[in-house]
Amino acid sequence: MKRSFKTAIAFSVFALISLWLSITAPAGTTLFSFNAGKELFAIPDFQIPVASASWIIFVFVAVATALTWWLSIQAKKTPLWLTALFAFILIQQFLIIMFVDQMFPVTTTLQGSLALAVPLIFGALAGVLSERVGVVNIAIEGQLLAGAFASALITSITHSLTLGLLAAAISGSLIAGILAVFSIKYVVDQIIVGVVVNVLVIGITSFLYSTVMARDLVALNQPERFDQIDIPLLSQIPIIGPLLFSQTLIVYLMYLGVAVVYVALFKTRWGLRLRAVGEYPKAADTVGIKVYRTRYIGVMLGGALAGIGGAFFTLGAVGSFSKEMTSGAGYIALAALIFGRWNPLLATLAALMFGFAQNLQSVLSIIGSDVPSQFLLMLPYALTIVAVAGLVGKVSGPAATGKPYIKS
């Protein structure tokens, strides 16, 4: 097996950062709080001495880096669990230092991170389904925005959250259909089509907001929101209870969506055919798989999921629609898709990481941290570049992604 030192070099760079953080670590302690007020029993808060904890973390980082170099010399891959643990420990070092002499509310911070990650996860699932059949889905942003607009308008008019959610799914699917038609039937460059679709949706929703919604915001842009549903007993488990089992219906649908997409893709015959179309469409065609139809289904199902993710903005979080309210969430979802290697579970974890980085920026601004907010907003994209560059392993999408199929 060919030796590769990319991962070892990346670990070494982060080890140097950890060393620098340890050397410059301030004196003091960081208080970690785990209680949100609904738990069956309270977990005691505890303080961590910043300087000593930082050096302990550096020792672990140094050992992990040395192990990675040894594996690289032996032409072996670094286990994914070691990379994940390495990243988790580094994050802990960063948090301990940034919240010195402050309280870090663990549970509430994770709750906010999950809320920010919900539309990203739906968008990443949309990208997984689309790109697994060979169509690059740059239009996730437009699908999210269309879902947000349709859900706000329909729910406001009908006073039915169910109809609003259905409208969001349909609108996202229709926007995905535009991408599919031009990419599959007319063989237009998929990236260009995706960008144009995003601009189109931004223009249409902004126009309709100004000319329709703005005339009567009470009747057309004040949708009801989904209530929080507490699952008995489970919602009272410390940390994970308030985080996972005290959520709105859209969040529970997100859990279901991740599970269904993963099982459908990797555990069913339908998923095997879908992935075959994204890898070797000509071979799939020769064994009787309808390539065009499969691609349309994959792209439009993904669009429906993205539309539901857009509904979270209006029916789960904000409670009204505003121009360009998705604020680039579709592009972050695309980054999560790449970082997660086109796998629903890994893409979900990447989206959660991005949501955590976004929420952490807000938490640090509340306590008056000196860390520039732009740094935290930049971090997820920087990590994606690291992943795409191959520093944490080879990252490549399905072989036929972005390549139009012309039946011979």
Side-chain angles (χ1 to χ4, degrees), residues 121-206:
I121 293 172
F122 275 112
L125 292 178
V128 167
L129 285 173
S130 179
E131 301 197 11
R132 280 288 181 176
V133 292
V135 178
V136 176
N137 194 350
I138 303 293
I140 298 173
E141 176 78 5
Q143 294 157 20
L144 289 171
L145 190 59
F149 177 83
S151 61
L153 181 64
I154 298 303
T155 303
S156 298
I157 294 174
T158 64
H159 302 287
S160 171
L161 289 166
T162 302
L163 290 177
L165 202 59
L166 181 62
I170 293 173
S171 62
S173 185
L174 290 176
I175 298 301
I178 297 175
L179 171 69
V181 168
F182 281 96
S183 299
I184 300 170
K185 183 176 181 179
Y186 296 107
V187 199
V188 180
D189 186 280
Q190 296 172 9
I191 295 177
I192 293 176
V193 172
V195 173
V196 170
V197 167
N198 286 337
V199 175
L200 175 66
V201 175
I202 290 173
I204 291 176
T205 55
S206 297

Side-chain angles (χ1 to χ4, degrees), residues 70-87:
W70 181 80
L71 290 171
S72 299
I73 293 172
Q74 299 294 319
K76 297 179 180 179
K77 291 184 178 180
T78 301
L80 183 60
W81 66 264
L82 180 60
T83 303
L85 184 60
F86 184 87

Side-chain angles (χ1 to χ4, degrees), residues 3-357:
R3 292 192 180 106
S4 175
F5 296 97
K6 291 182 179 180
T7 304
I9 293 172
F11 271 52
S12 300
V13 171
F14 286 113
L16 291 174
I17 295 174
S18 177
L19 176 61
W20 176 76
L21 290 174
S22 300
I23 293 173
T24 60
T29 60
T30 298
L31 178 66
F32 281 75
S33 176
F34 298 92
N35 302 302
K38 295 182 178 180
E39 296 84 356
L40 285 171
F41 57 92
I43 298 178
D45 299 342
F46 66 89
Q47 291 183 329
I48 296 179
V50 174
S52 57
S54 189
W55 280 109
I56 291 172
I57 289 174
F58 168 70
V59 170
F60 168 83
V61 168
V63 171
T65 302
L67 177 59
T68 303
W69 276 103
W70 181 80
L71 290 171
S72 299
I73 293 172
Q74 299 294 319
K76 297 179 180 179
K77 291 184 178 180
T78 301
L80 183 60
W81 66 264
L82 180 60
T83 303
L85 184 60
F86 184 87
F88 178 78
I89 294 297
L90 276 179
I91 291 173
Q92 300 313 304
Q93 184 178 24
F94 176 80
L95 292 176
I96 290 169
I97 293 175
M98 291 300 102
F99 285 87
V100 60
D101 296 328
Q102 300 281 346
M103 181 190 74
F104 178 63
V106 176
T107 302
T108 54
T109 300
L110 292 177
Q111 285 179 306
S113 302
L114 178 61
L116 290 172
V118 169
L120 305 184
I121 293 172
F122 275 112
L125 292 178
V128 167
L129 285 173
S130 179
E131 301 197 11
R132 280 288 181 176
V133 292
V135 178
V136 176
N137 194 350
I138 303 293
I140 298 173
E141 176 78 5
Q143 294 157 20
L144 289 171
L145 190 59
F149 177 83
S151 61
L153 181 64
I154 298 303
T155 303
S156 298
I157 294 174
T158 64
H159 302 287
S160 171
L161 289 166
T162 302
L163 290 177
L165 202 59
L166 181 62
I170 293 173
S171 62
S173 185
L174 290 176
I175 298 301
I178 297 175
L179 171 69
V181 168
F182 281 96
S183 299
I184 300 170
K185 183 176 181 179
Y186 296 107
V187 199
V188 180
D189 186 280
Q190 296 172 9
I191 295 177
I192 293 176
V193 172
V195 173
V196 170
V197 167
N198 286 337
V199 175
L200 175 66
V201 175
I202 290 173
I204 291 176
T205 55
S206 297
F207 172 76
L208 292 176
Y209 174 82
S210 300
T211 58
V212 178
M213 277 187 170
R215 292 183 178 180
D216 193 346
L217 292 176
V218 175
L220 300 178
N221 196 21
Q222 279 195 0
E224 292 83 355
R225 289 194 294 175
F226 283 103
D227 294 327
Q228 183 174 288
I229 302 173
D230 294 333
I231 298 179
L233 295 180
L234 293 177
S235 63
Q236 296 177 304
I237 300 174
I239 303 178
I240 66 172
L243 176 63
L244 301 179
F245 304 113
S246 183
Q247 296 291 346
T248 63
L249 176 63
I250 297 180
V251 178
Y252 293 126
L253 288 177
M254 182 264 292
Y255 300 157
L256 181 62
V258 173
V260 169
V261 170
Y262 178 80
V263 172
L265 276 179
F266 299 110
K267 305 296 181 181
T268 67
R269 181 181 298 179
W270 177 83
L272 179 61
R273 292 183 175 185
L274 186 144
R275 287 183 287 122
V277 168
E279 295 285 352
Y280 307 106
K282 184 171 291 187
D285 196 3
T286 59
V287 296
I289 299 174
K290 298 184 183 299
V291 174
Y292 293 151
R293 186 175 71 179
T294 303
R295 286 191 167 182
Y296 276 113
I297 291 173
V299 174
M300 295 186 71
L301 280 178
L305 287 173
I308 295 173
F312 180 80
F313 288 103
T314 51
L315 305 185
V318 179
S320 62
F321 178 82
S322 59
K323 294 181 180 180
E324 301 181 49
M325 68 182 306
T326 51
S327 302
Y331 299 107
I332 301 177
L334 190 64
L337 164 70
I338 297 170
F339 195 80
R341 305 181 183 187
W342 291 266
N343 181 296
L345 298 181
L346 296 179
T348 297
L349 293 177
L352 289 170
M353 179 193 70
F354 287 11
F356 179 78

